[in-house]
Each structure stands twice: as structure tokens, then as C-alpha cells.
Amino acid sequence: MTETPRDHRPVPSIRVLLAEDQGMMRGALALLLGMEPDIEVVAQVAAGDVIVDAALAHRPDVALLDIELPGMSGLDAAAELRERAPECRVLILTTFGRPGYLRRAMDAGAAGFLVKDGPVEELASAVRRVLAGETVVDPVLAAAALSAGPSPLTARERDVLRASAGGATVADIAARVHLSESTVRNHLSAVIGKTGTRNRTEALHEARHKGWL
């Protein structure tokens, strides 16, 4: 009886880009993912504003992006990847499981959203699943996002509130966002009302806590 020859062709690796600003975390994730037989970490970056260039250079299948990165947030990078590298699936990986972040990630075109404290086996499985066309979301966070509802802030209100960080004056904010000072005051007043806070410092804290910024 003649045996059928076995196919020993290697299984193609899933090419992964990893964006994480903490060096130890980035190295650990890259090492653990690299131990998976079908995953190859082809690029590692520490800042958000180099994600797209790295993706265009290395052509990953999946990009694992932290949210809070220097230069550009992972959420903004996800939106840019959708425009410039639409074949790359995005999986947001963050320490902060905030409901607002999940909604913004989905709006940016992300295919998944997980918190970092899960086992690497779950992360590897999520990489495979998003590449297969699935949407993978942490179930606890998904439930929290549904109960929290959408952000009440408009895009312009978010811009003004971000620009208010660090004790910026109304004149500073107006210059940064290219609005008049009276319009900036109106936006800040609206934000304080929508967040149920007493001042713009509290409003900024609350909006960040909810993941609206």
C-alpha cells in the first residue's frame, strides 16, 4: 500500500504590529505572541504618530494598539489606518477598560477591544479571530458600554476640552482650536453642564474617566 505524501508546507504566519509605549510591556507581549506557531511580530513602535508609517512599511495583518500613546492616541491611529491601510485589522489593547473608549474604538474602525490583564492565549485567539473577520470585544466592557450610553460631547467640545488641559487660558484654547474666545467659553460651559461638574478641570477629569476623550 502506497502512503499519501504529507504536505509539509509551512503555515503562513499572521503578521502583527505592536504599539505600546511601555518598553517592558511591549517586549513581553512581543515575546509571548512570538511563541505562538502562527504569529509573527513584524514591527514594534512606542508612539502613536509612527504607527501608520510602520504599517505601510511592514504590511501587518493585525495591529495591536494601546490607546494612550505619545504623539497620537491609538484610537486616532486606528482611524488613520482605516484610511491608509484598510487591509490591516485593528485590535485595541488597553489597561483602561472605559466604556467611552470602546465606542470610540468601534467608530474608528477597530475590529476588537481587549484589556491587557487577560491571558496571552486569549490575545492570540483574538488576533486570529479579527483576521478571520470577527469582532472581538471584552464582554464585561461591552456590557458597561451599553449601560453607559454614548458620549454627550460633540467633536468640537472634545477639542476645546482637550486644549484646556494644563491650565491653559481661554485665549490659549482659542488659539489652539481656531475659535473665538466667546465660542470657547460657550463650549466649556456646555461641557461642564453635560458632565455634571463644577469647572473645566473637573469636566476634563470626568470626560477622561468615562473615555470620552
Side-chain angles (χ1 to χ4, degrees), residues 68-83:
E68 298 191 354
L69 294 167
M72 176 186 290
S73 76
L75 297 174
D76 291 334
E80 193 170 339
L81 280 173
R82 179 175 56 183
E83 298 297 322

Side-chain angles (χ1 to χ4, degrees), residues 107-178:
D107 289 343
F113 194 106
L114 296 175
V115 291
K116 290 180 184 176
D117 58 4
V120 71
E121 293 82 7
E122 289 186 9
L123 179 57
S125 174
V127 167
R128 298 180 186 106
R129 290 170 62 191
V130 298
L131 186 60
E134 295 183 44
T135 298
V136 182
V137 177
D138 180 275
V140 175
L141 186 57
L146 287 173
S147 63
S151 168
L153 306 182
T154 67
R156 183 56 82 182
E157 287 167 352
R158 290 196 300 270
D159 290 342
V160 169
L161 191 56
R162 285 194 194 96
S164 73
T169 66
V170 170
D172 292 334
I173 299 168
R176 289 175 188 173
V177 298
H178 308 293

Side-chain angles (χ1 to χ4, degrees), residues 24-114:
M24 289 184 65
M25 173 67 76
R26 186 174 65 252
L29 286 173
L31 178 64
L32 291 170
L33 286 171
M35 294 173 69
E36 297 292 319
D38 58 341
I39 294 177
E40 179 186 6
V41 178
V42 296
Q44 300 179 47
V45 300
D49 51 1
V50 297
I51 288 173
V52 173
D53 286 343
L56 294 176
H58 296 279
R59 296 295 177 183
D61 301 303
V62 178
L64 292 179
L65 309 182
D66 190 12
I67 288 181
E68 298 191 354
L69 294 167
M72 176 186 290
S73 76
L75 297 174
D76 291 334
E80 193 170 339
L81 280 173
R82 179 175 56 183
E83 298 297 322
R84 299 184 60 190
E87 71 284 354
C88 178
R89 302 280 283 173
V90 172
L91 182 59
I92 298 293
L93 187 64
T94 183
T95 303
F96 306 101
R98 296 168 180 167
Y101 280 167
L102 173 57
R103 289 181 176 273
R104 290 173 58 202
M106 297 299 104
D107 289 343
F113 194 106
L114 296 175

